[in-house]
Amino acid sequence: MHIPDAFMPLPQAAVYWLLAIIFIALALKWARKELNEDKIPLVAVLAAGIFAIQAFNLPVGMGTSGHLVGGALAAIVLGSPYAAVFILTIVLIIQGVIFGDGGITTMGANIINMGVIGGFVGFYSFQGLKSVTKNVYISAGIAAWLACFIAALACAIEMAIAGTFPLIAGMTAMGLYHAAIGVIEGIITAVAIYLIHNVRPDLLSFDTKSGTEAPA
């Protein structure tokens, strides 16, 4: 899902960078307001974990690959989609600048797909599903699947606009692979939240039994 430099024309990449900068600014505002000495280590752990799970790439074809995203996990645990934007931006900068995983000119598109779409779809799907299912873990798992799947479709649409590969073939390949990968992401997300609840329930942004927001 990490779009390389050569896969997108510069004018199109610039549009995604402009959008990404807006969300990065909002994420920094969130970080200044919400992060404290308890949450900073959690952000570091989530960033390291997301970096690790994104390292396992599966070839999708047409020069691209599929992997887990992690945006939903960050947003759900920290209680804001901007947390996902904040953490995924850090991860993507390290991956792109140091390891060459994802382009520099296309980093804005990668931040939009994995941080913004992954975070917002994951967080608000979780909120909606939680009110229906009354089960935090099932809601988190489904929300993580949706965040992975929809982010992959968005990537395929961007690649089709760029002329890198056909729209239908791209959406089919990316959609099928990430529908399968998303199942793994859903399980990992639900298990991670379960483990955090057992060790440090105070770090979660909600009560795992009632599903209500945790007191500040």
Side-chain angles (χ1 to χ4, degrees):
M1 203 186 295
H2 290 63
I3 303 173
D5 284 316
F7 275 39
M8 183 177 287
L10 286 177
Q12 184 183 350
V15 172
Y16 300 126
W17 254 121
L18 289 174
L19 291 173
I21 288 171
I22 294 172
F23 282 97
I24 290 170
L26 293 171
L28 289 173
K29 184 178 179 181
W30 168 85
R32 283 195 296 269
K33 180 181 178 184
E34 298 293 336
L35 290 188
N36 53 38
E37 61 181 14
D38 288 329
K39 289 185 177 179
I40 288 175
L42 181 59
V43 167
V45 170
L46 286 169
I50 290 170
F51 185 94
I53 63 174
Q54 289 193 357
F56 296 99
N57 285 277
L58 295 173
V60 174
M62 295 177 287
T64 187
S65 63
H67 56 75
L68 305 179
V69 177
L73 174 63
I76 293 169
V77 169
L78 290 167
S80 171
Y82 293 108
V85 179
F86 182 76
I87 291 175
L88 266 296
T89 297
I90 295 172
V91 170
L92 289 166
I93 289 174
I94 294 173
Q95 290 173 333
V97 174
I98 299 178
F99 296 97
D101 190 8
I104 303 301
T105 61
T106 54
M107 192 178 292
N110 292 327
I111 291 171
I112 291 293
N113 294 337
M114 289 178 263
V116 177
I117 295 177
F120 275 78
V121 170
F123 180 75
Y124 287 107
S125 296
F126 173 70
Q127 294 291 324
L129 289 163
K130 182 159 59 73
S131 65
V132 175
T133 66
K134 309 300 182 185
N135 186 301
V136 166
Y137 306 113
I138 291 175
S139 301
I142 297 173
W145 182 87
L146 282 170
C148 180
F149 181 67
I150 293 176
L153 294 183
C155 180
I157 292 171
E158 292 161 5
M159 290 296 87
I161 294 172
T164 304
F165 47 67
L167 177 62
I168 301 302
M171 290 188 70
T172 301
M174 290 289 282
L176 286 175
Y177 271 80
H178 286 86
I181 294 170
V183 174
I184 301 173
E185 174 141 6
I187 293 171
I188 289 176
T189 301
V191 170
I193 291 172
Y194 173 79
L195 293 175
I196 294 172
H197 168 70
N198 282 341
V199 179
R200 289 289 305 273
D202 56 301
L203 292 178
L204 292 172
S205 62
F206 55 87
D207 185 279
T208 52
K209 292 182 179 178
S210 66
T212 56
E213 300 299 317

